[in-house]
Amino acid sequence: MKPLIRPATWTAAIALLILLVAAVAARRRAPAASVAPPPPEVSVLTVAPQTVPARYEYVGQAAASLSVEVRSQVTGVIVERPYAEGTDVAKGALLFRIDPTTYEAAYRSAQARLANAERNLARLKALLGARAVAQKDVDDAQTAFDQAQAAVDQTKKDYDDTFVRAEIAGRAGRALLQLGARVTGSGDLLTTVERVDPIYVNFSPSDQDVLSWRREVEAGRLVMPQGPLAVQVTLADGSVYPRTGTLNFTDLALQPATGTQELRAELANPQHLLLPGQFVRVRLLGLTHPGAILVPQRAVQQGLGGAFVYVLDAGDKVATRSVTATAWDGASWLIAQGLAAGDRVVVDGVQQVAPGSPVRAVAYQPAADSGAGRSAP
């Protein structure tokens, strides 16, 4: 007869089995222990003030340094136009010829009257010495001679004016009256002669720019060069004009219609690359920002409160800093307020950071930005 197993023993075995199964299940269900991710890596620029060129660029328009309207002082028909339109002419070059027939005849007639008056005056002066004529006769003869001389001078001028010549050396424009046309006087414009070497470039900063210059200079944030400002011109195709010019005129008042101040630069133009009416970009040279703070453009973020950057504290934790960015300098922003020497600014990796979070900082390498083109503010 087999021995019976006691109930207490069965109960203990079942309880032990349940505990083992529960332990195994609990071990299977237990999650792996969580491991904190490493802090993100960011590139950091340590702020160092430097002197940088100030960039002020404007749209300008070329204009002739001297422009003369060619008009006739006499009336008549145009019988000759020896110059070629659109070519350079020398001072005194013949541009138009007015029919001289009437003026030449008047000039010869006046010369004949002058010769007669001169002979009469000489004869009466000789008779006056012999007391054969009165002094009044001599005086009248002198008056007639003077009038005849004045008539000769006037008719000679009229005859000379039939030769319409260039008053300055320059480029002669299109003829506005052709051969056979009748000129009625000085009211008829024949053509223009423009001097384009040197040439002017006019541009107009706004009143806001003018005020900004003054305030920046007074605050010491902008330094003006000694002497006249140099000017660089960029053509419509993006090429830089090979010669720099100088600022030679600043208007005393603002233009009431536009709120701008007119400035003018003068440039040598021996090859006539610049033409009157041509639009260009004008950049002022020689102005500098001392102690300027530059940060790469991608480091400056925009929020509801304006521009800001991420900076690191002594423990490499992230904080935000509001800044005032005033202008571009190549691939960088010029920071007027908000940063100081020694501040560490996050450049790359800003998408991975948040205020108060730690990061692993590496030095920013500007080599990747060295090829970026310099652009205007």
Side-chain angles (χ1 to χ4, degrees), residues 108-177:
R108 290 199 303 267
S109 176
Q111 285 180 311
R113 289 194 298 271
L114 176 62
N116 183 61
E118 185 177 12
R119 289 191 298 270
N120 187 47
L121 177 62
R123 181 176 58 82
L124 291 177
K125 282 183 176 180
L127 293 176
L128 180 63
R131 296 179 181 272
V133 295
Q135 180 65 43
K136 183 178 182 307
D137 295 331
V138 176
D139 293 341
D140 291 342
Q142 182 66 51
T143 300
F145 174 80
D146 294 340
Q147 291 175 344
Q149 182 65 62
V152 167
D153 294 341
Q154 181 61 52
T155 54
K156 183 179 186 303
K157 179 182 181 304
D158 291 342
Y159 174 73
D160 290 341
D161 285 342
T162 62
F163 298 86
V164 182
R165 302 181 183 276
E167 296 295 329
I168 62 170
R171 176 162 292 187
R174 180 172 63 89
L176 301 180
L177 291 179

Side-chain angles (χ1 to χ4, degrees), residues 178-253:
Q178 302 300 325
L179 292 178
R182 180 173 180 80
V183 180
T184 60
S186 59
D188 292 332
L189 178 62
L190 302 181
T191 188
T192 56
V193 177
E194 295 183 331
R195 181 180 297 167
V196 294
D197 182 25
I199 196 168
Y200 289 157
V201 174
N202 300 307
F203 58 102
S204 302
S206 67
D207 56 347
Q208 183 177 357
D209 284 340
V210 174
L211 290 174
S212 175
W213 291 347
R214 294 176 180 174
R215 290 170 181 167
E216 293 284 300
V217 170
E218 292 174 358
R221 294 190 294 267
L222 180 65
V223 176
M224 305 287 286
Q226 298 294 329
L229 281 176
V231 171
Q232 182 185 76
V233 167
T234 302
L235 304 179
D237 62 356
S239 62
V240 176
Y241 185 70
R243 298 173 182 267
T244 58
T246 55
L247 194 70
N248 71 342
F249 171 74
T250 301
D251 203 349
L252 297 177

Side-chain angles (χ1 to χ4, degrees), residues 33-47:
S34 60
V35 179
E41 180 181 288
V42 296
S43 66
V44 175
L45 169 69
T46 301
V47 172

